[in-house]
Amino acid sequence: MKNKTTHLIECKNVSLSYDGNCVLENANFYVDRGDYLCIVGENGSGKSTLVKALLSLKKVSQGEIIFASDVGCKKIGYLPQRTNVQKDFPATVREVVLSGCLGTSLSPIWSLSDKLKADRNMERLGIGDIAGRCFRDLSGGQQQRALLARALCAAGSILLLDEPTAGLDPIVTKEMYRILEELNREEGMTIIMVSHDFDAAMRYATKILHLERSVKFFGARDEYMESDVFGRWGNDRGL
């Protein structure tokens, strides 16, 4: 019998390994509808590996990840870290955004509903007027909006973002966080975000998952800010 959960996603005693070396051990946490969960921790703490596991790109070596019956990893919109390959992608903005629909349909051909979804997401992110431009000719902020629109095309009710503001200037970063906050609070989109931006995590998250090769804290943001884990983390950064 398949295990069930009352949460959107639930991780039970999850351990993840590479070549027999454990990188995340016995992790327990859950994500509920409408959460804005920030995953924090130093490099090498298991954050990126956990992201791969949530996307079913990495097998769990112990424990289990359980999705709600109407979710599943294929209904998660994913915005990965920016790379030079992404920046130089030779396609139009519309083609990039439409590619997010490929994982939601069995057909390799874009349907009318796919095209309408892509247009809607470009408009909601303010890039409808540049749909025909080449992606590689855009500014960093415009590219990130296009990739977020692509992720929204793939999303059911969950967005998973890995350092979405890395490499962006402060103005574009602020705008990206505004968009994510709006998606979460006004449209009910569940957001899971890996971030090294400590201030943003404290400002926008409703829940914090702090990893150091295991779960050092999981819970509400306000509780985290009162915890010893937060105190040590902040002191290390001179906060």
Side-chain angles (χ1 to χ4, degrees):
M1 181 178 178
K2 188 175 181 180
N3 290 330
K4 296 182 179 181
T5 179
T6 58
H7 305 290
L8 208 57
I9 303 173
E10 185 173 7
C11 288
K12 289 186 173 182
N13 304 313
V14 169
S15 292
L16 302 167
S17 302
Y18 280 110
D19 299 324
N21 297 314
C22 186
V23 295
L24 183 63
E25 183 176 15
N26 200 36
N28 290 277
F29 70 94
Y30 58 84
V31 181
D32 287 328
R33 297 180 192 278
D35 279 351
Y36 193 139
L37 172 68
C38 275
I39 304 174
V40 301
E42 298 286 1
N43 291 333
S45 61
K47 302 188 302 298
S48 295
T49 307
L50 177 59
V51 166
K52 292 177 182 178
L54 292 173
L55 295 169
S56 292
L57 299 175
K58 172 70 179 172
K59 288 186 178 181
V60 172
S61 55
Q62 180 179 308
E64 58 186 338
I65 299 176
I66 310 170
F67 295 94
S69 58
D70 61 337
V71 181
C73 63
K74 291 185 178 180
K75 292 189 177 181
I76 297 176
Y78 176 47
L79 181 61
Q81 292 187 32
R82 298 173 73 220
T83 65
N84 289 329
V85 172
Q86 289 173 335
K87 295 175 186 177
D88 294 331
F89 197 64
T92 66
V93 172
R94 177 175 281 107
E95 289 169 337
V96 169
V97 175
L98 270 170
S99 68
C101 297
L102 292 176
T104 63
S105 171
L106 296 176
S107 173
I109 301 174
W110 292 315
S111 65
L112 176 59
S113 63
D114 290 336
K115 294 175 182 177
L116 291 174
K117 182 191 293 185
D119 287 344
R120 183 168 62 251
N121 284 323
M122 286 188 289
E123 289 297 332
R124 79 201 289 195
L125 293 179
I127 55 172
D129 59 333
I130 60 171
R133 288 183 58 186
C134 184
F135 179 79
R136 63 186 175 193
D137 293 336
L138 304 181
S139 67
Q142 289 171 324
Q143 287 185 343
Q144 200 70 337
R145 281 177 181 246
L147 292 173
L148 180 55
R150 179 187 184 279
L152 286 170
C153 284
S157 57
I158 305 174
L159 273 177
L160 176 57
L161 310 105
D162 193 354
E163 298 288 351
T165 62
L168 299 178
D169 66 52
I171 293 176
V172 176
T173 294
K174 183 178 180 180
E175 179 63 11
M176 179 61 67
Y177 284 132
R178 184 197 65 77
I179 291 169
L180 294 175
E181 183 181 31
E182 184 177 284
L183 288 169
N184 175 249
R185 297 190 180 181
E186 297 183 16
E187 301 188 28
M189 182 70 69
T190 301
I191 291 176
I192 305 171
M193 182 172 69
V194 174
S195 180
H196 281 106
D197 189 338
F198 193 70
D199 289 340
M202 294 303 98
R203 186 178 301 116
Y204 299 108
T206 59
K207 289 179 180 175
I208 299 292
L209 176 65
H210 188 126
L211 301 181
E212 292 179 18
R213 294 181 176 265
S214 64
V215 175
K216 294 303 181 183
F217 180 91
F218 169 67
R221 175 194 58 192
D222 292 347
E223 293 175 358
Y224 176 67
M225 294 177 73
E226 297 295 327
S227 72
D228 292 339
V229 177
F230 174 84
R232 175 168 51 81
W233 182 257
N235 286 336
D236 289 346
R237 283 154 183 74
L239 300 176

